Amino acid sequence: MKLMRVGDRGAERPAMLDGAGRIRDLSDIVDDIAGDVLGKAGLDRLRSVDPAGLPEIAADTRIGPCVARTGKMVCIGLNYSDHAAETGAEVPREPILFMKATSAICGPNDTVLIPRNSAKTDWEVELGVVIGTRAAYVDEDAAMDHVAGYCIVNDVSERAFQTERGGQWTKGKSADTFGPVGPWLVTRDEVADPQALALWLDVDGQRMQDGTTATMVFGVRHLVHYVSQFMTLEPGDILSTGTPPGVGMGKNPPVYLRAGQTMRLGVEGLGEQRQTVGQA
């Protein structure tokens, strides 16, 4: 299934995409794409619904973040060997964890705002993992049982805030609009292998990132297991699993976003995002 949320910011309705690509309203079935809806019983209930019997929503309706009530967004740093190489960093021996404030989360096609005093706002296409059931100290062989599905994340980053202003990476990752999520939550059964997905990002039509999840240092299964050793993952939490090479700071010389530019990005089977860049 492809689950989504549509409508004005803060007033999104739950929806699904039918086989013909039409948006169908789930408001009479569930209150939102969140909580117990993301567990096995909740998803099985949605699978039993005939989309043809649901009201159709206009295709030009705004798309919001594909999951609601996200309690935390945990990101993985330097998780692609080729991205670590372009930044001059060593491949980590354990996953590097940092947090992106949930206030950064926005719709997949919402305007991304360069924060005030920013000079180095950058892009990062990533595979997002949406947690479906509570995960604490899970074994690696059981980790995927806790995954509801996958989505696209643009882990927008301000590199000067991230690396030149002291402290941890979070301040460079958490500006408003720095977390476009969606357009869809694609349920786990529709993704045969999360370690075999192409992902890409263009800026103003120029291909900047063109990679594959096959070059992840730590795969999805290990990440769910690993993160659950340090914190409990709850339904709706998102793991953003790292980015392939081609980010702006890895260019020679570095290239960063400017107001008026457009980003397009996608992950195989998970749709596309498109964001215009504005100024806060």
Side-chain angles (χ1 to χ4, degrees):
M1 290 183 296
K2 294 179 174 65
L3 304 176
M4 57 197 304
R5 301 171 65 251
V6 298
D8 294 339
R9 187 187 300 268
E12 292 92 346
R13 290 174 286 167
M16 66 166 51
L17 204 68
D18 69 15
R22 293 181 290 254
I23 303 172
R24 298 290 186 165
D25 194 341
L26 285 171
S27 297
D28 290 339
I29 310 298
V30 294
D31 67 336
D32 215 335
I33 308 300
D36 291 345
V37 172
L38 298 170
K40 183 179 185 303
L43 294 177
D44 285 347
R45 180 187 179 201
L46 293 182
R47 288 190 186 96
S48 71
V49 175
D50 180 5
L54 300 173
E56 186 173 348
I57 296 174
D60 60 355
T61 303
R62 172 187 172 269
I63 302 174
C66 59
V67 62
R69 302 198 287 273
T70 296
K72 53 187 172 291
M73 192 168 185
V74 184
C75 302
I76 314 300
L78 300 175
N79 194 36
Y80 283 69
S81 55
D82 37 8
H83 172 55
E86 77 170 341
T87 65
E90 293 184 7
V91 174
R93 290 183 292 179
E94 293 190 38
I96 296 172
L97 308 185
F98 63 91
M99 309 296 283
K100 183 184 283 282
T102 55
S103 55
I105 294 173
C106 63
N109 304 318
D110 290 346
T111 299
V112 166
L113 297 176
I114 296 174
R116 298 174 188 179
N117 304 310
S118 165
K120 298 181 179 181
T121 295
D122 204 348
W123 55 83
E124 293 190 13
V125 59
E126 306 201 359
L127 172 67
V129 179
V130 179
I131 299 300
T133 57
R134 190 174 188 269
Y137 299 110
V138 300
D139 293 334
E140 189 161 340
D141 60 3
M144 300 304 285
D145 295 339
H146 297 271
V147 173
Y150 305 95
C151 63
I152 304 169
V153 174
N154 189 352
D155 178 20
V156 187
S157 308
E158 211 300 337
R159 303 302 188 185
F161 296 178
Q162 178 184 352
T163 63
E164 301 170 22
R165 299 289 298 273
Q168 299 177 342
W169 291 358
T170 302
K171 69 177 72 171
K173 299 286 189 169
S174 296
D176 292 350
T177 74
F178 268 27
V181 172
W184 317 313
L185 188 169
V186 179
T187 51
R188 180 164 52 94
D189 58 296
E190 292 200 7
V191 178
D193 183 359
Q195 306 311 143
L197 301 177
L199 61 173
W200 55 271
L201 183 144
D202 295 346
V203 178
D204 287 345
Q206 181 179 355
R207 182 60 45 95
M208 296 295 188
Q209 293 185 272
D210 192 1
T212 169
T213 57
T215 66
M216 278 188 187
V217 180
F218 306 103
V220 170
R221 182 183 301 275
H222 181 73
L223 291 175
V224 174
H225 152 74
Y226 183 87
V227 175
S228 78
Q229 309 306 304
F230 300 94
M231 65 192 80
T232 298
L233 296 170
E234 301 284 359
D237 286 351
I238 299 171
L239 301 184
S240 198
T241 58
T243 199
V247 298
M249 74 171 180
K251 305 294 184 185
N252 186 17
V255 177
Y256 296 110
L257 291 167
R258 304 184 308 274
Q261 292 187 303
T262 299
M263 292 180 282
R264 278 187 65 237
L265 56 148
V267 177
E268 184 179 352
L270 306 185
E272 295 186 8
Q273 298 184 352
R274 182 184 185 279
Q275 298 113 22
T276 299
V277 180
Q279 182 69 52

